[in-house]
Amino acid sequence: MAHLGVGIGWRPEIADAVERLSGLDWVEVVAENVCPGHLPESLLRLRERGTRVVPHGVSLGLGGADRPDPAKLAALGERAVALGAPLVTEHIAFVRTSSPVLEAGHLLPVPRTRDALDVLCENVRIAQDALPVPLALENIAALFSWPGEELTEGQFLTELVERTGVRLLIDVANLHTNRVNRGEDPAAVLDAIPLEALAYVHVAGGIERGGVWHDTHAHPVPPVVLDLLAELRSRVEPAGVLLERDDDFPPEAELAGELAAIRAVVTAGPAAPVETATAGSGPAGTAPGTEPGTETGTDPGPVEESVRTRVALGQAALLSALVAGTPVPEGFDRRRIRVQARALVAKRADVVAKLAPELPVILGGPDPYREAFLSYAKSRPMTSGYRRDALDFAEDLLIRDLPADPAARRRLTTWWRDRAGARPPRRIVRWARTLAGRAA
């Protein structure tokens, strides 16, 4: 890996501040939030100054039971080329199911089983073949554990690297999250994984509520996370370290202070030597001369459809419980699943409000908007992206002759029509739909 240095997650809300940060080496952008042909002026100026930009994907769902969407892979590759990125990154997570069609709108943990690992490895190889630059995958933060897991986090990540040659993006804040929420020892994970495959490191803040750590990216980086960065630094010198902040952005001076604290940890002292992969020595995490596959370099071949089906059934049952109110599958911590379900619907409301800021205004403010959205979400799980969710929410209100104020309803109708390119269903259509639903 080329040296990246210390960077920050570029977000539109702090674009000006990011450009002014002293000593900034690189930035990371959410891949889905930029368009290759219309890059933000701020990113273009950063690139002209020689600041590297890395796209960070959030929607591939490589841990899902389905094979990666070729269109999503192509879009991620286009962003890598447009940004001149040395690599792209994604997550070890699933985000959707195809039967039933459901979207989590969030990164959910995959079960650490042989079946799930087989599916993930094949999906990663498909992605690697499609992408124009190397791929690195991030360990995610989780609120709950899967029952019946067969591998530890360290074993799961190690086998993933050995079988695919993929690089790792280690988020030390997520290691802390999983220590609190799942009882996992971060040091044991760092001891077990192949650090020669490390691409770079994430650092972020969060908050603990009721014994659950929430990886918010909206709070300052706590000392305990910086301590974990020091733990990692004592084992290896990372090519890059990046501060993530996604909400409640602090003043510029506070961002600069957090970057300085991170830089102080990274430059604190020599790290233990780790043999890194070099050109011609095989992918990171494999022995020289071997190819991605197993530890011996043998490709295990295509995953049997029965394996994908087993993974799909488990993920569908869990996601249905989280977003559609079906019973919690046997073996899961029901309290934690309820916490996750509330977090998912709250995130839906927040993201839709950001994407469509007119909706809270039309509905009379943040509180009436949130009440209306949570009522809608109880019976309408997300089946596509957040933009579609905003349109579906507005349509649902109009079908129910809401909001009650005629002027607000006219404004909402105009808003929906401008974006959906159609008229809301007329009253006779709404009656017909209601009658059809009762008949069913």
Side-chain angles (χ1 to χ4, degrees):
M1 274 302 303
H3 182 75
L4 292 171
V6 175
I8 192 170
W10 183 92
R11 304 293 183 263
E13 296 89 340
I14 53 172
D16 292 341
V18 168
E19 289 189 61
R20 291 190 295 265
L21 287 170
S22 176
L24 186 70
D25 298 312
W26 65 294
V27 299
E28 181 191 77
V29 298
V30 177
E32 290 81 356
N33 290 351
V34 295
C35 179
H38 304 278
L39 294 175
E41 292 294 326
S42 173
L43 282 181
L44 293 175
R45 287 192 293 269
L46 287 169
R47 286 198 63 205
E48 289 171 0
R49 283 164 33 184
T51 305
R52 279 185 164 159
V53 182
V54 174
H56 184 54
V58 297
S59 65
L60 268 183
L62 291 174
D66 295 324
R67 291 173 179 80
D69 182 344
K72 290 183 182 295
L73 285 173
L76 184 57
E78 288 171 1
R79 282 149 179 79
V81 172
L83 294 166
L87 78 164
V88 297
T89 59
E90 248 287 352
H91 299 83
I92 302 169
F94 83 100
V95 297
R96 65 182 61 85
T97 59
S98 58
S99 181
V101 177
L102 294 172
E103 286 276 347
H106 188 70
L107 304 166
L108 295 175
V110 300
R112 290 176 298 205
T113 61
R114 292 289 172 188
D115 280 353
L117 180 60
D118 288 346
V119 169
L120 173 62
C121 287
E122 184 171 84
N123 288 350
V124 168
R125 287 192 290 269
I126 292 170
Q128 289 170 317
D129 288 343
L131 293 169
V133 294
L135 172 68
L137 294 182
E138 179 182 349
N139 60 306
I140 72 162
L143 288 177
F144 60 88
S145 298
W146 282 77
E149 293 192 313
E150 301 164 337
L151 301 165
T152 65
E153 179 79 346
Q155 291 170 333
F156 194 85
L157 295 178
T158 298
E159 288 207 31
L160 171 64
V161 170
E162 289 172 342
R163 292 171 57 174
T164 66
V166 75
R167 292 166 170 82
L168 294 177
L169 192 180
I170 295 300
D171 189 317
V172 291
N174 292 351
L175 293 179
H176 174 64
T177 301
N178 295 340
R179 169 168 53 193
V180 176
N181 295 348
R182 304 204 290 189
E184 296 172 357
D185 181 4
V189 176
L190 293 175
D191 286 339
I193 61 176
L195 289 175
E196 66 272 16
L198 182 65
Y200 61 86
V201 179
H202 272 176
V203 179
I207 190 169
E208 186 172 351
R209 298 191 192 97
V212 175
W213 186 269
H214 296 270
D215 181 47
T216 63
H217 293 192
H219 293 81
V221 177
V224 68
V225 171
L226 290 177
D227 290 344
L228 283 178
L229 178 60
E231 280 269 358
L232 184 147
R233 177 66 179 81
S234 71
R235 293 162 170 80
V236 65
E237 182 176 355
V241 182
L242 183 118
L243 170 65
E244 285 190 297
R245 187 80 177 221
D246 292 314
D247 209 348
D248 288 342
F249 298 101
E252 185 176 331
E254 190 173 327
L255 288 175
E258 291 204 295
L259 285 172
I262 290 169
R263 189 175 286 109
V265 173
V266 173
T267 59
V274 173
E275 184 178 348
T276 57
T278 58
S281 66
T286 62
T290 63
E291 295 296 325
T294 66
E295 296 168 71
T296 60
T298 302
D299 191 325
V303 174
E304 294 182 4
E305 288 305 312
S306 60
V307 174
R308 285 190 178 273
T309 298
R310 288 196 295 270
V311 173
L313 290 172
Q315 292 181 348
L318 173 61
L319 188 51
S320 294
L322 288 170
V323 303
T326 59
V328 177
E330 191 66 31
F332 283 95
D333 184 325
R334 284 171 167 72
R335 186 181 72 85
R336 287 295 177 87
I337 296 300
R338 288 195 296 270
V339 172
Q340 182 71 83
R342 289 195 297 269
L344 290 179
V345 74
K347 181 178 180 179
R348 278 178 72 185
D350 290 343
V351 174
V352 166
K354 285 183 178 180
L355 290 174
E358 304 88 350
L359 292 178
V361 175
I362 292 171
L363 297 177
D367 291 341
Y369 159 78
R370 196 171 190 84
E371 182 181 352
F373 189 90
L374 295 182
S375 174
Y376 149 80
K378 286 179 182 178
S379 59
R380 290 288 295 274
M382 188 161 57
T383 58
S384 188
Y386 282 111
R387 285 182 170 80
R388 181 72 253 174
D389 204 23
L391 289 172
D392 289 346
F393 169 53
E395 181 183 13
D396 182 75
L397 290 173
L398 293 171
I399 287 173
R400 294 188 288 125
D401 287 329
L402 296 173
D405 175 55
R409 194 160 62 250
R410 285 194 297 272
R411 291 177 63 194
L412 183 61
T413 299
T414 300
W415 181 93
W416 183 88
R417 186 182 297 157
D418 288 346
R419 288 153 183 80
R423 290 182 177 275
R426 295 183 180 277
R427 188 178 300 274
I428 190 169
V429 175
R430 300 200 296 268
W431 287 343
R433 286 182 179 177
T434 300
L435 291 173
R438 290 173 181 169

